[in-house]
């Protein structure tokens, strides 16, 4: 009943709630495997600290330590989130059988066969990321290292990742977004800023010389402003990544992570700026607090604004590849994963419940006062009733209900992990 009333209230603003619900149901949003184990992966010693300027803080019980535990946790999360999740793996999550461990430059599709089965059984697509951090071959640089052997190792890793991405796309019948991010940079004032960037550019050229079908494998270049321990200089800065993508638009797309800019810059405003030039872009949705802290995504103003820009720029029609990228080890990881995913679903639904054409028309007629009034009034429409309806249509628990599932899983499963 409350949904029917909500629907009428939205109709007064020329918004069709049924249409919004049916659109959102099939929008792929990538679910990052790394929230489940604090970005550790399975190919290196988990007791070694993360490198590359990223950090997880907290020591909540129940970190997934094996592929089986991580998959079980992902299954639990997927019972709690509405929409169409797509897996997002890092190369460090390769699954080795018996004695077949290989280093990252030698990874093969077979090391991801178990993930392919996991995805197939659940009807999921899969994105992929070469892992250029937390590894003994970071010297500390990777693709921008002056050391030929180091660079070669990481280029081979990048090429192997293209082959694995092609395999994932082929097997799962959905494009695979393959994101290149390195934490390469310096803690203090560099003596040469250009050299590493030229080497990085040439290394990406080599990686992308590996053959792939750009309709199926979509390499991305992710930029960053700084990281912990690499405060003074980041090789893959915004200008570097954007220029690379612009000059190689037949081979790759730019990726923006909303934790990777100065705090007064907003990615919501950058989305239409890039879409004026690129056919496709990719996003990492996170929540930075004062730095790239990767807090769990909330249903907050900037998250809603990012979603509004995705929706009104036609991003849901294949122009914006959406992935989540946050990791919090201080709270129940299943709750963190679920809450961030649900909040981004909320933001997308909220965005789909905007009278986009009407707002544009008001702007174009210079009715800016009315535009201002309407945009603010839209905020207090009965959004919660439409959200509940969406969760119901997707067969997923409502707010307040899903957390009981997490508590039970913590008692039954997580608390038993050593
Ligand atoms: C780091 C980048 C990068 C990673 C993941 C794990 O600042 O955002 O995307 O978070 O690849
Ligand atoms: Zn990111």
């Amino acid at each position: 009943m409350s949904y029917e009333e909500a629907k009428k209230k939205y109709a007064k603003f020329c918004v069709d709630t049924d249409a919004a619900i049916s659109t959102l149901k099939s929008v792929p949003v990538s679910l990052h495997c790394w929230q489940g184990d604090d970005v550790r992966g399975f190919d290196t010693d988990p007791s070694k600290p993360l490198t590359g300027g990223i950090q997880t803080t907290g020591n909540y019980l129940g970190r997934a330590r094996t592929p089986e535990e991580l998959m079980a946790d992902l299954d639990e999360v997927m019972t709690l989130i509405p929409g169409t999740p797509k897996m997002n793996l890092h190369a460090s999550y390769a699954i080795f059988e018996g004695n077949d461990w290989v280093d990252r430059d030698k990874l093969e599709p077979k090391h991801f066969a178990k993930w392919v089965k996991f995805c197939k059984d659940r009807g999921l697509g899969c994105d992929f990321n070469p892992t250029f951090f937390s590894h003994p071959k970071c010297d500390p640089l990777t693709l921008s290292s002056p050391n030929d052997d180091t660079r070669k190792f990481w280029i081979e890793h990048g090429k192997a990742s293209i082959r694995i991405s092609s395999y994932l796309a082929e097997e799962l019948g959905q494009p695979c977004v393959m994101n290149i991010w390195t934490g390469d940079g310096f803690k203090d004032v560099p003596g040469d800023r250009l050299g590493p960037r030229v080497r990085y550019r040439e290394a990406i050229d080599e990686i992308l010389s590996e053959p792939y079908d750009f309709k199926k494998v979509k390499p991305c270049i992710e930029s960053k402003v700084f990281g912990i321990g690499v405060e003074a200089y980041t090789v893959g800065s915004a200008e570097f990544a954007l220029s690379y993508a612009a000059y190689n638009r037949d081979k790759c797309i730019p990726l923006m992570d909303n934790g990777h800019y100065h705090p007064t810059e907003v990615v919501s405003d950058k989305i239409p700026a890039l879409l004026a030039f690129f056919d496709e872009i990719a996003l990492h949705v996170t929540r930075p607090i004062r730095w790239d802290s990767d807090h769990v995504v909330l249903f907050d103003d900037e998250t809603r604004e990012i979603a509004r820009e995705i929706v009104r720029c036609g991003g849901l029609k294949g122009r914006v590849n959406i992935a989540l990228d946050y990791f919090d080890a201080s709270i129940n990881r299943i709750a963190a994963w679920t809450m961030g995913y649900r909040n981004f679903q909320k933001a997308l639904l909220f965005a789909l419940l905007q009278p986009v054409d009407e707002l544009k028309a008001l702007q174009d007629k210079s009715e800016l006062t009315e535009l201002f009034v309407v945009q603010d009034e839209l905020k207090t429409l009965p959004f919660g009733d439409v959200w509940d309806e969406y969760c119901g249509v997707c067969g997923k628990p409502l707010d307040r209900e899903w957390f009981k599932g997490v508590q039970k899983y913590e008692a039954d499963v997580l608390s038993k992990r050593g």
Side-chain angles (χ1 to χ4, degrees):
M1 192 55 207
S2 47
Y3 174 65
E4 291 308 318
E5 277 165 28
K7 192 170 156 172
K8 280 189 210 138
K9 288 192 177 162
Y10 273 97
K12 277 208 233 160
F13 284 75
C14 308
V15 172
D16 178 348
T17 54
D18 290 341
I21 288 173
S22 104
T23 302
L24 183 55
K25 261 192 329 188
S26 58
V27 172
V29 175
S30 294
L31 179 65
H32 53 312
C33 72
W34 51 93
Q35 163 60 61
D37 76 333
D38 313 340
V39 209
R40 293 300 350 172
F42 310 127
D43 72 336
T44 52
D45 179 354
S47 65
K48 296 263 164 62
L50 286 179
T51 67
I54 53 175
Q55 275 189 9
T56 50
T57 50
N59 192 22
Y60 201 86
L61 63 86
R63 183 179 80 80
R65 299 154 304 174
T66 62
E68 294 70 32
E69 287 181 352
L70 190 62
M71 286 177 184
D73 292 358
L74 281 160
D75 271 336
E76 179 63 20
V77 170
M78 284 190 280
T79 65
L80 308 175
I81 55 172
T84 301
K86 190 180 183 193
M87 268 314 300
N88 197 358
L89 295 177
H90 247 283
S92 51
Y93 291 79
I95 302 178
F96 303 107
E97 314 261 16
N99 281 337
D100 77 346
W101 181 90
V102 290
D103 214 343
R104 290 186 189 164
D105 59 332
K106 301 268 175 353
L107 283 171
E108 289 178 49
K110 70 173 184 192
H111 300 119
F112 293 87
K114 288 211 169 146
W115 283 113
V116 162
K117 176 157 188 340
F118 177 85
C119 292
K120 271 193 188 161
D121 290 349
R122 291 155 184 79
L124 307 170
C126 189
D127 290 338
F128 195 70
N129 304 258
T131 312
F132 298 106
F133 55 83
S134 304
H135 187 280
K137 286 252 163 44
C138 302
D139 72 10
L141 304 182
T142 63
L143 292 173
S144 70
S145 170
N147 180 312
D148 291 344
D149 289 343
T150 304
R151 229 168 42 253
K152 178 95 181 74
F153 175 86
W154 291 110
I155 289 168
E156 288 308 316
H157 176 53
K159 291 181 164 187
S161 296
I162 297 244
R163 295 191 290 271
I164 293 160
S165 299
S166 299
Y167 161 74
L168 294 171
E170 214 56 66
E171 289 287 327
L172 302 172
Q174 291 187 41
C176 173
V177 174
M178 190 200 94
N179 181 43
I180 297 177
W181 171 75
T182 78
D184 286 17
F186 290 112
K187 182 184 172 81
D188 229 316
V189 186
D192 172 20
R193 288 187 169 88
L194 179 59
R197 288 188 172 133
V198 170
R199 289 192 291 270
Y200 191 21
R201 190 196 75 211
E202 290 171 352
I204 304 173
D205 286 347
E206 283 200 53
I207 292 172
L208 301 187
S209 73
E210 180 71 21
Y212 58 95
D213 176 349
F214 191 28
K215 288 196 192 67
K216 294 183 182 162
V217 174
K218 301 184 180 183
C220 305
I221 316 296
E222 180 180 14
S223 68
K224 188 159 174 171
V225 61
F226 83 98
I228 295 291
V230 282
E231 287 85 355
Y233 169 76
T234 292
V235 183
S237 59
E239 294 75 11
F240 175 92
L242 265 185
S243 304
Y244 191 93
Y247 275 91
N248 295 278
R249 47 182 306 152
D250 55 334
K251 290 195 206 115
C252 65
I253 58 179
L255 185 145
M256 295 189 290
D257 178 313
N258 64 302
H260 291 190
Y261 297 87
H262 287 283
T264 62
E265 289 184 70
V266 281
V267 161
S268 51
D269 184 63
K270 297 176 194 294
I271 292 168
L274 294 200
L275 288 176
F277 294 92
F278 292 94
D279 296 333
E280 258 185 71
I281 63 169
L283 297 178
H284 272 181
V285 180
T286 185
R287 179 168 53 110
I289 298 195
R290 308 192 195 287
W291 70 287
D292 182 33
S293 59
D294 287 301
H295 280 67
V296 176
V297 171
L298 294 183
F299 183 56
D300 57 15
D301 285 349
E302 173 56 6
T303 307
R304 279 197 294 269
E305 209 56 27
I306 287 173
R308 289 221 299 163
E309 289 301 341
I310 295 172
V311 167
R312 64 189 178 193
C313 294
L316 300 184
K317 298 186 188 97
R319 295 194 69 192
V320 180
N321 298 281
I322 309 167
L324 301 178
D325 181 14
Y326 51 84
F327 26 98
D328 191 336
S330 74
I331 54 176
N332 180 302
R333 293 173 187 79
I334 311 291
W337 238 333
T338 303
M339 197 177 151
Y341 199 96
R342 287 175 70 99
N343 281 333
F344 202 64
Q345 289 280 300
K346 275 187 188 165
L348 286 171
L349 184 62
F350 191 85
L352 284 161
L353 295 170
Q354 299 270 311
V356 170
D357 295 338
E358 284 69 18
L359 298 179
K360 268 188 198 161
L362 286 174
Q363 176 171 316
D364 291 345
K365 285 187 290 180
S366 291
E367 301 285 1
L368 301 182
T369 312
E370 191 177 347
L371 174 64
F372 184 60
V373 170
V374 177
Q375 293 204 94
D376 221 53
E377 286 180 354
L378 282 161
K379 291 179 185 163
T380 48
L381 285 176
F383 173 71
D385 294 324
V386 186
W387 168 250
D388 286 356
E389 177 73 9
Y390 175 64
C391 291
V393 164
C394 293
K396 297 299 153 105
L398 303 178
D399 287 358
R400 295 302 297 155
E401 287 177 1
W402 65 266
F403 190 61
K404 290 183 212 135
V406 173
Q407 286 172 311
K408 182 165 180 345
Y409 191 75
E410 177 169 317
D412 295 349
V413 180
L414 300 178
S415 63
K416 310 225 158 90
R417 291 182 189 162

